[in-house]
Amino acid sequence: TAAPTTVPTGPAASVPAVRASRRLAPMTTGDLAEVLAIEQAAYALPWTRGNFVDSIAAGHLAQCLLDDAGVMLGYFIALLGAGEAHLLNLTVAPAEQRRGHARFMLDALIADCRQAGATKLWLEVRERNARARRLYRDSGFAEIGLRKAYYPALPGSTGREDAVVMGLALDRAPR
């Protein structure tokens, strides 16, 4: 589906405009070279090829975000089952961040979860990832709790990092 181009004003005016057209397409193993390039550019501790292969093979909801020229902008993977959903990975290519792509994918995921009959969408996010936590809060997620020492330590740091558990009730009307 096409989204209108938006041009920010104020402090965000230096951020490039959102692409005129973007669409979601099912992720296949043929997409994994591009997916892994984004994953490795975005994270100090990226998922492995095996993580993606296993998710696709298991039938998880795996979608790639493409622009009108077919360039991959990001992707997400979610597990749907037993009336609930769990967001496992939502990533936007670093050069494409802050253009509304994560919100676009999250909104699509929420709609897919509702259509599948899920009543709750769960996720974990690094405690220090303030941008992602803000995106999720702005989308209606509530912080439910903390998983102590859930994530491996980032390079250059010691100890493991806590994960904030967030949840969204899907039985209410879309925002």
Side-chain angles (χ1 to χ4, degrees):
T1 60
T5 299
T6 58
V7 179
T9 59
S14 62
V15 176
V18 172
R19 292 178 188 267
S21 178
R22 56 190 168 183
R23 63 185 169 84
L24 288 166
M27 183 186 295
T28 68
T29 54
D31 297 315
L32 292 186
E34 288 176 278
V35 167
L36 285 168
I38 292 171
E39 182 78 4
Q40 291 164 359
Y43 300 112
L45 298 169
W47 273 27
T48 66
R49 179 179 179 80
N51 294 135
F52 288 102
V53 169
D54 290 348
S55 293
I56 293 168
H60 294 347
L61 178 59
Q63 298 282 311
C64 295
L65 181 64
L66 308 170
D67 71 5
D68 53 349
V71 174
M72 190 176 300
L73 307 172
Y75 48 86
F76 70 82
I77 297 178
L79 169 66
L80 286 112
E84 295 187 340
H86 191 130
L87 177 59
L88 303 174
N89 189 328
L90 187 147
T91 304
V92 175
E96 295 293 335
Q97 292 178 0
R98 304 184 78 82
R99 298 179 185 186
H101 300 313
R103 164 99 40 197
F104 180 87
M105 289 190 288
L106 188 57
D107 287 348
L109 171 60
I110 291 168
D112 287 346
C113 290
R114 281 191 172 111
Q115 185 176 358
T119 59
K120 193 85 168 180
L121 175 56
W122 300 98
L123 62 87
E124 292 89 14
V125 60
R126 281 185 182 270
E127 188 173 33
R128 73 175 76 184
N129 191 342
R131 257 179 42 195
R133 289 172 65 189
R134 185 171 41 255
L135 166 71
Y136 298 133
R137 274 194 309 272
D138 290 351
S139 294
F141 284 80
E143 294 189 3
I144 306 297
L146 213 56
R147 292 192 199 277
K148 292 290 193 182
Y150 184 79
Y151 289 108
L154 292 171
S157 63
T158 58
R160 296 177 65 87
E161 186 175 353
D162 295 343
V164 176
V165 178
M166 301 183 80
L168 175 68
L170 298 171
D171 51 346
R172 59 176 202 249
R175 57 177 175 79

